[in-house]
Amino acid sequence: MTDTTGSAVPGLDAPPADIVVLGKIMAACGLQGEVRVFPFADDPLGWSQLPYWWIGHEGDAPQLWCRTRLITCKLRNDLLVARLASVTDRTAAEAMRGVLVGVPRAALPPTDTGEYYWADLLGLTVLNTREQSLGRILGMIETPANTVLRVGDGESTERLLPFVATVVLDVDLAARQVLVEWEMDW
C-alpha cells in the first residue's frame, strides 16, 4: 500500500479499521494549498504533531480513507491551518472542503480517567434517570455554545441533547451507556 504521497506505508497492508475523526476541513487558506480545519478535540495542537493524517468523507468505510503526510500545522483563531502533502495548491484545497481528518486509534495518546474521544461515544445507549432508553448516540454536532448529542433509534426518532454537565450525568464506557437528565417527551 502507498499513501497519497506515493511512499510505502511501513507495516500497513490496508487502512486501519479504527480511524478516529479529529476534525473537518472547512476552507482553503492562502495560495499554497493550506486548509483550515475545525478541530473536534480539546487539544488540537497535540494531534497536530502527528506525522500523518488520514482523510476521508463522512460515511466512507475506513478502507476508502487515504493517508497523507502532515507538512505543517498551526493554531489560528481556534482553527488549525494545515498543509498536507496531498494538497498542493488553492484549487486542491478548495476541493477538500467538508473532508474529515482522522488518525488510527493507536496513534492517539491514551485517555485519562473520565476522558474519552467522541468516537468512543458513538453507539452508546442513552438512558434517563428513570432508566428509560432514549436511543443510541448517532453523532455529535459542534455548536458555539456546546457540543450536542444526536440521540435516536436511527429511523424515526431523534433527539438533540446538549452535552453539558447538567444533562449528561455519567458516561460509562464499560457498560456502553450514558446517563442523562432528560425526559422521554422533551
Side-chain angles (χ1 to χ4, degrees):
M1 170 176 196
T2 59
D3 63 15
T4 57
T5 62
S7 304
V9 179
L12 289 180
D13 296 322
D18 61 348
I19 291 176
V20 175
V21 176
L22 298 175
K24 184 176 192 175
I25 297 175
M26 303 305 290
C29 180
L31 301 175
Q32 302 300 314
E34 290 180 313
V35 292
R36 286 191 177 100
V37 179
F38 181 82
F40 296 157
D42 290 339
D43 183 21
L45 284 179
W47 53 268
S48 71
Q49 302 301 313
L50 299 167
Y52 294 95
W53 283 355
W54 289 78
I55 55 176
H57 295 279
E58 188 167 351
D60 278 355
Q63 63 268 24
L64 297 176
W65 286 59
C66 297
R67 187 178 96 146
T68 187
R69 187 169 48 89
L70 180 62
I71 297 172
T72 62
C73 189
K74 56 190 171 241
L75 190 62
R76 188 182 306 158
N77 298 330
D78 296 328
L79 295 176
L80 291 171
V81 176
R83 190 109 189 268
L84 305 172
S86 60
V87 183
T88 58
D89 59 26
R90 183 168 182 88
T91 302
E94 288 170 348
M96 298 295 289
R97 183 183 180 120
V99 171
L100 300 174
V101 298
V103 296
R105 179 171 289 283
L108 294 172
T111 58
D112 289 332
T113 303
E115 292 183 339
Y116 30 81
Y117 292 106
W118 279 18
D120 297 335
L121 301 178
L122 294 175
L124 296 187
T125 299
V126 178
L127 300 172
N128 66 15
T129 54
R130 297 176 191 239
E131 297 187 15
Q132 297 169 312
S133 177
L134 300 177
R136 297 190 179 280
I137 297 176
L138 305 173
M140 273 73 65
I141 301 168
E142 186 68 32
T143 70
N146 54 265
T147 300
V148 175
L149 297 175
R150 289 181 44 237
V151 177
D153 59 14
E155 293 177 17
S156 60
T157 304
E158 185 171 313
R159 294 177 176 86
L160 300 177
L161 282 69
F163 193 47
V164 295
T166 56
V167 173
V168 178
L169 305 177
D170 184 52
V171 175
D172 188 343
L173 293 178
R176 304 225 11 98
Q177 66 185 26
V178 176
L179 179 65
V180 297
E181 181 64 51
W182 202 265
E183 295 299 324
M184 293 287 292
D185 58 351
W186 289 359

